[in-house]
């Protein structure tokens, strides 16, 4: 594979080259990882910057319907939109349905839209391990807005906030104990809470739910990266396409304020450091999965099972032998 040529084609906005590059960065093969690193380095330094929007929500809230309606609204304004949708992988077979593109049929036909479903595999946090690199590629390809859809809501599924400029939390009305359903952890991370399905018989309920969340947000500690009034709770309808324009205006207002105050650049810099440290941790874990460490670990595990050595002592022995750790450290 000619990596230099692939990089030039991505910068020229070729969709096929972008799709091929994302496949490359998602591969776990050693030679592919080396090529992916070269590609990312070759593309580094371009002056393009997309608005990265992470989106999570409870199951059945209508994330795909919202993204399609929202994406179509943006493309009608002349913006280029990329959607990185992460599907859950089976814990047994490892397979994924990858049906997001099918659920966004109208958006997938738009010339200014690009949809890429990816399996989460065994990666926790609601996103795939290489989603951030895929976002980098989409940014290099000239997309204006990148929507990153997570597997689904959960208290630990805030990792998407570490790779996006804005984090949206999509919730449904009439969901029982609303404030208990989604805990404080993910609410503290959200920049906007959108109550979807604010139409028909649920419109009044959605308005009441929105007011409940607006009250709850006022109780949270104010974050330095927020202007007055943020984070906010708003109502939208992905079916009737109402509230989309208001939500987009709020996103632009928040983004403009963060750019002017330096919070936007600071957030990007902090994210770069976070993912550097994450890559170091993943690299150390990868060493445990290779010989001779893998065999030594299996042998020590048998000794732990038989009661010949404690788990703590076995772990320290393995680290001292293969990773250069010392007991004093």
């Amino acid at each position: 594979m000619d990596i230099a040529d692939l990089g030039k084609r991505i910068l020229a906005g070729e969709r096929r080259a972008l799709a091929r590059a994302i496949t490359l960065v998602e591969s776990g093969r050693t030679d592919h990882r080396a090529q992916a690193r070269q590609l990312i380095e070759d593309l580094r330094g371009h002056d393009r910057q997309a608005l990265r929007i992470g989106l999570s929500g409870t199951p059945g809230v209508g994330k795909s319907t919202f993204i399609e309606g929202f994406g179509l609204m943006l493309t009608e304004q002349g913006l280029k939109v990329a959607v990185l949708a992460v599907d859950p992988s089976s814990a047994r077979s490892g397979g994924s349905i990858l049906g997001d593109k099918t659920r966004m049929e109208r958006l997938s036909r738009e010339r200014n839209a690009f949809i890429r479903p990816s399996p989460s595999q065994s990666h926790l946090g609601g996103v795939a391990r290489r989603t951030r690199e895929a976002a980098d590629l989409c940014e290099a390809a000239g997309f204006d807005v990148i929507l990153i859809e997570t597997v689904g809501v959960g208290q630990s599924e805030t990792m998407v906030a570490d790779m996006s400029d804005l984090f949206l939390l999509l919730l449904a009305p009439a969901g029982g104990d609303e404030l208990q359903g989604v805990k404080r952890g993910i609410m503290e991370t959200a920049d906007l809470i959108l109550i979807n399905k604010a139409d028909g018989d649920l419109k009044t309920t959605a308005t009441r739910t929105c007011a409940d969340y607006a009250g709850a947000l006022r109780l949270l500690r104010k974050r330095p990266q927020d202007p007055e009034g943020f984070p906010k709770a708003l109502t939208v309808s992905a079916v009737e396409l109402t509230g989309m324009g208001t939500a987009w205006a709020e996103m632009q207002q928040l983004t403009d304020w963060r750019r002017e105050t330096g919070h936007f650049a600071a957030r990007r810099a902090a994210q770069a450091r976070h993912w550097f440290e994450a890559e170091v941790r993943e690299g150390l874990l990868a060493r445990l999965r290779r010989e001779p460490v893998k065999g030594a670990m299996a042998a020590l595990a048998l000794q732990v099972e038989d009661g010949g050595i404690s788990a703590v002592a076995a772990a320290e022995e393995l680290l001292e032998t293969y990773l250069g750790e010392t007991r004093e450290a």
Side-chain angles (χ1 to χ4, degrees):
M1 186 182 299
D2 189 338
I3 298 300
D5 178 66
L6 184 62
K8 291 177 182 177
R9 290 165 56 199
I10 290 173
L11 290 173
E14 290 189 26
R15 298 159 64 96
R16 185 173 297 179
L18 175 59
R20 188 177 184 187
I22 294 177
T23 300
L24 178 67
V25 300
E26 289 179 343
S27 173
R29 279 176 42 173
T30 304
D31 56 336
H32 287 175
R33 288 306 308 151
Q35 291 177 323
R37 284 193 296 271
Q38 180 187 338
L39 178 62
I40 295 295
E41 282 298 305
D42 289 348
L43 293 174
R44 201 163 53 86
H46 62 79
D47 58 354
R48 298 170 179 175
Q49 191 176 71
L51 178 61
R52 304 181 184 188
I53 302 175
L55 188 141
S56 189
T58 49
V61 74
K63 293 192 296 295
S64 297
T65 307
F66 172 83
I67 289 175
E68 180 173 53
F70 187 64
L72 287 170
M73 183 193 71
L74 296 180
T75 56
E76 287 173 2
Q77 296 178 16
L79 298 174
K80 295 182 65 179
V81 179
V83 178
L84 302 176
V86 182
D87 263 12
S89 297
S90 169
R92 292 186 177 182
S93 66
S96 296
I97 297 175
L98 301 180
D100 292 274
K101 196 166 185 176
T102 305
R103 292 195 292 270
M104 304 177 199
E105 183 181 355
R106 288 184 299 155
L107 185 61
S108 66
R109 294 198 299 263
E110 279 289 321
R111 290 187 58 186
N112 285 336
F114 174 82
I115 302 175
R116 174 69 183 219
S118 298
S120 64
Q121 297 175 330
S122 59
H123 198 55
L124 301 178
V127 292
R129 182 182 174 189
R130 299 300 172 186
T131 301
R132 181 179 181 274
E133 292 177 14
D136 288 341
L137 294 172
C138 291
E139 193 168 70
F143 285 91
D144 301 301
V145 178
I146 301 171
L147 299 171
I148 306 171
E149 179 193 1
T150 70
V151 168
V153 77
Q155 286 209 67
S156 64
E157 290 196 5
T158 57
M159 192 174 293
V160 68
D162 292 321
M163 62 179 70
S164 58
D165 304 310
L166 298 176
F167 179 39
L168 312 183
L169 182 58
L170 205 63
L171 300 174
D177 189 349
E178 295 289 349
L179 298 183
Q180 184 69 15
V182 179
K183 298 289 187 176
R184 183 166 179 163
I186 197 167
M187 282 187 62
E188 286 180 329
T189 313
D191 296 306
L192 281 177
I193 293 179
L194 303 179
I195 313 302
N196 193 24
K197 303 184 179 181
D199 49 59
D201 296 337
L202 288 176
K203 189 170 184 177
T204 302
T205 306
T207 303
R208 187 168 57 250
T209 302
C210 182
D212 290 342
Y213 275 109
L217 289 173
R218 286 193 290 269
L219 299 177
L220 299 180
R221 182 179 300 172
K222 184 172 175 57
R223 306 178 303 184
Q225 70 269 28
D226 292 331
E228 191 64 35
F230 284 89
K232 292 184 177 181
L234 304 170
T235 58
V236 296
S237 170
V239 175
E240 296 183 352
L241 302 180
T242 54
M244 298 280 191
T246 302
W248 175 234
E250 295 288 357
M251 293 179 216
Q252 290 177 301
Q253 178 185 339
L254 179 57
T255 302
D256 291 343
W257 185 87
R258 286 179 175 174
R259 288 186 193 276
E260 293 169 2
T261 56
H263 287 293
F264 190 95
R267 181 175 179 137
R268 285 279 180 110
Q271 289 175 352
R273 175 168 183 159
H274 168 85
W275 289 105
F276 157 69
E277 294 173 351
E279 283 297 317
V280 172
R281 289 191 294 270
E282 288 288 345
L284 290 173
L285 290 174
R287 290 186 62 181
L288 297 178
R289 295 189 287 267
R290 295 197 298 264
E291 298 294 352
V293 185
K294 183 179 178 181
M297 192 171 179
L300 283 169
L302 290 176
Q303 294 183 43
V304 172
E305 288 180 4
D306 295 337
I309 187 173
S310 70
V312 174
E316 287 193 2
E317 181 179 330
L318 185 76
L319 293 173
E320 288 175 8
T321 304
Y322 293 101
L323 298 183
E325 294 288 334
T326 63
R327 290 181 186 273
E328 289 75 12

